[in-house]
Amino acid sequence: MIVPGLDFLLVTRLAMMKGRMAALRATLGIATGVAAWGLAGFFGIRALFIASPWLYTLLKVGGGLYLFIQGARLFAGSWKNAPAEDQPANPAFATTRAFRMGLLTNLANPKAPIFVSSLFAAALPQHASIGLGLTCVGTMFVIAVAWFSLVATVLSLRHVSRAFLRLRHWIDRASGLAFMALGIRFATERTV
């Protein structure tokens, strides 16, 4: 989803801590997640969740657990003084890890499939062609790449990064708590 939230926090943190390339790789992961939810939404994930509510519950609990664990790691890491994590030793690992983090953060958001399927239900005609659906999904992908690339570029500027580093521990603590709170909320929220 293209909403200031977990995706935005991830790109922000990576841009400032790992640099522009890591944030851009996470951006591709996020956009891939957006496209996956877009395809699922177009081809009827909403109907599937209505027919099998346990699948939605499974997504909510699994996604909530993933977000909680990521938040706990971020929060716990904010108390460490060593900046060893700031510059990864293996660029290939960083490439894969940043993409995977972006993809999993987007896919773990249980609001994303509901948002996308609702968007398609409201905006597309009932019998939309596959071409129109794929065009919409492609547009969602391009918008996600453009937005998060802009965020990654601006927030990886040296003076912005320096300001972040001065406040890093507090930002990591706040972000970690936000991830954990959203994870708990997603996992425990009643389904509609």
Side-chain angles (χ1 to χ4, degrees), residues 48 81 104 154:
L48 178 65
N81 288 329
L104 290 176
V154 170

Side-chain angles (χ1 to χ4, degrees), residues 6-7 59-74 101 104-111 175-187:
L6 299 177
D7 296 338
L59 175 68
K60 279 181 30 141
V61 172
L65 181 61
Y66 171 78
L67 295 176
F68 183 85
I69 290 169
Q70 293 305 314
R73 286 181 180 166
L74 186 59
M101 285 174 67
L104 290 176
T105 297
N106 188 272
L107 292 178
N109 183 352
K111 302 287 186 193
S175 298
L177 289 172
F179 270 69
M180 288 189 290
L182 285 171
I184 291 169
R185 180 176 174 216
F186 289 161

Side-chain angles (χ1 to χ4, degrees), residues 29-49:
I30 291 166
T32 301
V34 167
W37 284 127
L39 289 170
F42 179 70
F43 289 109
I45 198 167
R46 183 168 184 253
L48 178 65
F49 284 161

Side-chain angles (χ1 to χ4, degrees), residues 100-190:
R100 188 176 59 238
M101 285 174 67
L103 178 64
L104 290 176
T105 297
N106 188 272
L107 292 178
N109 183 352
K111 302 287 186 193
I114 302 304
F115 172 79
V116 171
S117 61
S118 298
L119 180 65
F120 281 131
L124 290 178
Q126 184 176 5
H127 300 290
S129 69
I130 291 178
L132 178 60
L134 294 178
T135 300
C136 292
V137 170
T139 302
M140 292 167 61
F141 180 85
V142 169
I143 290 170
V145 168
W147 167 246
F148 287 113
S149 293
L150 175 66
V151 170
T153 300
V154 170
L155 297 178
S156 64
L157 296 173
R158 191 172 313 159
H159 64 280
V160 175
S161 294
R162 268 190 249 137
F164 174 80
L165 287 174
R166 285 192 299 275
L167 301 171
R168 173 187 174 195
H169 296 295
W170 293 105
I171 292 170
D172 283 353
R173 288 172 191 149
S175 298
L177 289 172
F179 270 69
M180 288 189 290
L182 285 171
I184 291 169
R185 180 176 174 216
F186 289 161
T188 60
E189 188 174 56
R190 286 184 41 186

